Amino acid sequence: MIAQPMPQRRLSKEELLAWVERLLRERSVIAPVRSGERTFLQEISAPSEVDLEVGRPVNSLKEFLFPATETLFRLRRGKRAVRMELPEVGRLQVLFLVRPCDAAALTSMDALFLGEPADFYWGERRKNTALVGLACLAVPTPECFCTTVGGSPIGTANMDVILYAQDGGYVAEALTERGEALLSLAGGAAMEQPFVPQAPELPPFPCPPIEDWQRVFDDDYWQRLGERCLGCKICTYNCPTCYCFDIRDRGTGGRVERLRAWDACTSKHYSIEASGHDPRPTRGARLRNRFCHKYFYFPWRYGGTLLCTGCGRCVAQCPVNIDLTEVLEEVAVRARKGEEARQG
Amino acid sequence: MSVTDDLRRIARELLESGRVTRVIGYEEGRRGQVRPLVARTVEEAGRLLFDERCARNLALYLLDFKPQGEEEPPAVAVVLKPCDARALNVLVLENQVRREKVYVLGVACPGIPGKPACASCTERIPPTFDLLLGKPEPPPAPAGPDDLSRLLALSPEERRRFWAEQFRRCIRCYACRQVCPMCYCEVCIAEKLDPPWESIAIAPSENEFYHVLRAYHLIGRCIECGECERVCPMGIPVFLYQRYLAEEVRQTFGFRAGMDAETPAPFMTFRKEELEDLP
């Protein structure tokens, strides 16, 4: 937090891109880049690559703090001893034009990765990553539902700087000391009157409490939903808060590296135990786990924090129209019906 | 009477008479999408529909009714377009599905607007069905040079670069495999752990291994529905290499997968006299 808030600055498009140019000199910049019909968050080498019209990139910011695959350490057998090497992690980077829902994802991911015992790799990257957010003054996509899960289209959680697209340019505001330092590299003029953002309205959906998820645990709904689920990992891999991973060693001839790579509870082999028993043997049971993890187990364990920011990626990208907003409605309705039936 | 009206009426009859236990079709989803529905009751059959949004290949869901051991599989009805019915033929040929347990509600295919696989397809009537719904329209005239001819015009080095760039994007969500009716292995070789054929890394070389392996496993088996590409969240033209290989098989062996349920794929047979053709 800043003791004395810095005045907002007005940046033209050109000034914004010139700022990116200056940021690129000292650190990696990750920004939305358009490729054909899709926009992806990726590392850029020039400001001209940035897609300023970005709605919601296909991928989330997750991979820049928790890569799809990373080496945890390497072991090398020497003449007398085994040497262990840690990879270099935590280069300076800026995540640029991050939407509030993606930035909000870091709250739950921090709770998980920075809780004891803290994850060294997440911690190092997190420390060295700055976020320049882009507020949603208009609803970017039809699948957005951040307000349902306690977020806001103009929320600033975890950001260092927030940008408001305004009059063909941007209003920039530093939110942290790091943000001030970054913004000091930008041109533009100080605003005389502060810009006060207005949040757009989003369609409201129910957000069932933990008890509701408990009540519908054995509902036939999950099996019916599972009938059409493909069992792929789109919803989890492009989710900003799905964090499941697998760890395995690879290597031969005296050199071994330990890898950590994303994994997903929606896939068939994820929950098979060493005995061969699978506690989640059906697609329905696996889907239920994904939703319950986000709305039941995680908030239960982490003081109410949901593991969902309403970014809408899983809704937009599911090939068989499994729509989380519909799941929320169904759970709310079925929990109420179940409760009414129980009380007679 | 529209196709949807006929479909609902027949589905109700099939369920009511006990001829089938389920009807696999499409229903209206959220946000203007259609989605698969496994209808079990007459009421649910009333939600079935068919229109030109029905891009999916529902033959995939027949794998959920595979016989378990000695048990008889339940009889099911399924809505199939021509490419989907080709998938059924391959599944029957490969002993994954028993044809007599499937009642095929074939649909005369309008071609799905905007689906790349449909642009080069001229089939309008499923190669196998128990009942045909709708009237086949003549296929549209083929458009100009497509993705495949553009790809083939590139040099091998350019092609290599093109695919390296595509596979770099892959996140190995396996949606292309999961949606493919022909990818029914209990454990995919890309995910075998003991011994591992490839590491768990989601990285360019592993991605390439997966895609090349999958392409080879589908030679002479791909029925060209293009679902692999349609579901890819990263926009990788997965169907493009599959289509290339299907075209090679057609030109070399005069064979197209799933046109009937009797002719095995060229790479699934071996004749002694073929030895003489080898260099």
Side-chain angles (χ1 to χ4, degrees):
Chain A
M1 280 296 110
I2 315 171
Q4 199 98 72
M6 222 173 89
Q8 294 172 332
R9 301 184 76 77
R10 175 177 291 288
L11 303 176
S12 67
K13 242 178 214 177
E14 293 69 30
E15 284 163 337
L16 185 84
L17 294 177
W19 182 34
V20 174
E21 176 89 66
R22 265 169 244 136
L23 292 174
L24 271 167
R25 287 179 202 155
E26 307 260 320
R27 41 185 88 61
S28 308
V29 176
I30 316 296
V33 175
R34 196 152 181 87
S35 166
E37 289 166 14
R38 293 171 167 84
T39 294
F40 299 94
L41 276 178
Q42 62 185 59
E43 184 168 357
I44 58 162
S45 49
S48 59
E49 294 169 40
V50 181
D51 174 10
L52 294 174
E53 309 302 317
V54 60
R56 173 187 54 229
V58 172
N59 55 336
S60 82
L61 80 179
K62 166 174 82 179
E63 67 186 82
F64 303 100
L65 290 143
F66 171 45
T69 300
E70 67 182 314
T71 300
L72 298 180
F73 58 78
R74 292 188 184 85
L75 293 177
R76 199 184 309 184
R77 193 167 56 207
K79 281 216 174 85
R80 276 192 296 262
V82 174
R83 268 232 319 268
M84 183 170 138
E85 291 164 5
L86 280 181
E88 275 183 36
V89 285
R91 57 175 192 180
L92 278 183
Q93 61 179 3
V94 179
L95 305 186
F96 196 71
L97 300 190
V98 168
R99 292 290 188 178
C101 53
D102 268 10
L106 299 187
T107 301
S108 47
M109 297 293 256
D110 281 348
L112 173 89
F113 281 119
L114 300 182
E116 284 302 319
D119 184 86
F120 165 78
Y121 307 88
W122 175 275
E124 287 301 300
R125 292 200 180 86
R126 183 76 170 89
K127 237 175 16 203
N128 291 304
T129 302
L131 264 66
V132 175
L134 176 64
C136 304
L137 297 178
V139 181
T141 79
E143 298 86 10
C144 291
F145 64 101
C146 66
T147 51
T148 295
V149 290
S152 161
I154 55 170
T156 59
N158 303 313
M159 292 178 186
D160 296 289
V161 176
I162 187 157
L163 297 170
Y164 304 102
Q166 202 60 23
D167 303 327
Y170 295 85
V171 173
E173 185 179 336
L175 303 160
T176 62
E177 278 176 22
R178 178 164 60 188
E180 265 182 3
L182 289 177
L183 202 53
S184 69
L185 299 172
M191 302 267 290
E192 281 164 20
Q193 291 293 317
F195 171 74
V196 181
Q198 291 291 313
E201 286 269 323
L202 274 99
F205 297 99
C207 185
I210 285 173
E211 301 74 54
D212 280 9
W213 295 89
Q214 281 173 308
R215 281 187 194 115
V216 301
F217 193 82
D218 291 318
D219 199 297
D220 184 47
Y221 176 63
W222 304 113
Q223 289 311 317
R224 296 309 301 270
L225 205 57
E227 281 178 348
R228 71 173 190 269
C229 175
L230 297 175
C232 75
K233 310 185 194 182
I234 294 176
C235 54
T236 58
Y237 280 6
N238 283 334
C239 172
T241 58
C242 270
Y243 57 75
C244 287
F245 55 81
D246 192 6
I247 291 180
R248 268 174 199 279
D249 295 343
R250 81 168 162 195
T252 49
R255 283 161 185 262
V256 178
E257 79 181 314
R258 180 154 296 173
L259 291 179
R260 170 160 78 178
W262 291 352
D263 202 349
C265 64
T266 49
S267 78
K268 191 174 167 187
H269 309 290
Y270 178 83
S271 52
I272 293 181
E273 295 167 2
S275 66
H277 171 69
D278 189 347
R280 298 197 284 267
T282 60
R283 297 198 297 266
R286 293 190 277 271
L287 267 184
R288 177 182 62 193
N289 181 71
R290 177 166 192 266
F291 299 127
C292 281
H293 190 190
K294 297 196 168 300
Y295 286 85
F296 174 3
Y297 315 142
F298 195 89
W300 196 22
R301 167 76 176 75
Y302 291 97
T305 307
L306 295 176
L307 196 61
C308 174
T309 65
C311 74
R313 282 188 181 86
C314 60
V315 179
Q317 296 179 14
C318 178
V320 288
N321 195 222
I322 291 171
D323 183 326
L324 180 46
T325 61
E326 183 180 14
V327 172
L328 296 177
E329 287 173 354
E330 284 284 340
V331 168
V333 167
R334 283 166 191 262
R336 197 173 58 233
K337 271 192 196 150
E339 190 55 18
E340 281 165 10
R342 203 177 59 83
Q343 292 180 350
Chain B
M1 290 286 270
S2 71
V3 173
T4 292
D5 292 336
D6 287 340
L7 178 61
R8 287 179 183 170
R9 181 175 50 78
I10 293 153
R12 280 194 203 103
E13 285 168 17
L14 287 168
L15 286 165
E16 229 160 18
S17 67
R19 173 90 196 264
V20 301
T21 60
R22 292 165 179 82
V23 179
I24 307 169
Y26 300 88
E27 68 168 335
E28 188 70 43
R30 300 255 285 195
R31 304 170 194 272
Q33 293 188 43
V34 290
R35 62 193 185 194
L37 169 69
V38 182
R40 299 171 188 198
T41 61
V42 169
E43 291 71 43
E44 286 174 1
R47 280 159 39 197
L48 291 165
L49 63 83
F50 185 83
D51 61 30
E52 46 177 40
R53 293 173 298 166
C54 297
R56 297 181 176 83
N57 187 340
L58 299 181
L60 170 74
Y61 292 100
L62 294 172
L63 293 164
D64 289 337
F65 300 99
K66 257 161 85 163
Q68 303 292 324
E70 298 295 293
E71 216 175 289
E72 278 283 296
V76 297
V78 61
V79 175
L80 299 180
K81 302 185 294 298
C83 50
D84 312 338
R86 287 174 64 190
L88 170 62
N89 274 340
V90 178
L91 292 175
V92 170
L93 175 77
E94 297 180 357
N95 297 315
Q96 298 304 306
V97 173
R98 292 201 353 225
R99 181 64 180 86
E100 72 274 16
K101 292 289 181 184
V102 180
Y103 188 92
V104 177
L105 294 157
V107 281
C109 185
I112 306 301
K115 187 173 174 179
C118 299
S120 54
C121 173
T122 56
E123 276 152 46
R124 291 296 174 258
I125 298 180
T128 179
F129 56 80
D130 294 284
L131 189 81
L132 184 67
L133 300 165
K135 283 204 184 61
E137 303 280 336
D146 60 3
D147 290 357
L148 184 55
S149 46
R150 274 195 291 274
L151 182 73
L152 294 178
L154 300 178
S155 72
E157 176 52 30
E158 287 170 320
R159 268 188 250 173
R160 199 195 58 75
R161 270 207 305 271
F162 170 79
W163 285 114
E165 177 58 25
Q166 298 298 330
F167 294 149
R168 188 183 60 76
R169 264 238 203 275
C170 176
I171 53 172
R172 289 239 301 292
C173 64
Y174 294 127
C176 48
R177 181 190 75 191
Q178 293 303 108
V179 82
C180 177
M182 265 66 255
C183 272
Y184 55 71
C185 288
E186 274 296 305
V187 183
C188 176
I189 194 164
E191 287 183 303
K192 280 213 167 110
L193 295 179
D194 195 17
W197 286 74
E198 76 170 336
S199 93
I200 58 169
I202 301 166
S205 81
E206 279 80 1
N207 297 348
E208 211 161 298
F209 176 85
Y210 161 69
H211 283 281
V212 171
L213 210 73
R214 182 168 172 274
Y216 274 60
H217 280 184
L218 287 167
I219 292 178
R221 301 177 63 241
C222 171
I223 46 76
E224 302 164 79
C225 67
E227 278 294 277
C228 47
E229 180 166 324
R230 197 183 60 83
V231 299
C232 178
M234 312 312 276
I236 301 168
V238 187
F239 180 51
L240 193 52
Y241 59 71
Q242 225 60 71
R243 220 183 113 204
Y244 166 70
L245 292 169
E247 192 57 29
E248 285 282 296
V249 170
R250 192 181 65 79
Q251 284 177 15
T252 313
F253 301 98
F255 178 82
R256 297 182 67 211
M259 298 312 285
D260 61 57
E262 288 83 41
T263 318
F267 292 167
M268 299 179 96
T269 62
F270 176 72
R271 293 191 202 96
K272 216 175 156 191
E273 58 270 25
E274 286 174 340
L275 265 180
E276 285 152 26
D277 294 342
L278 292 176

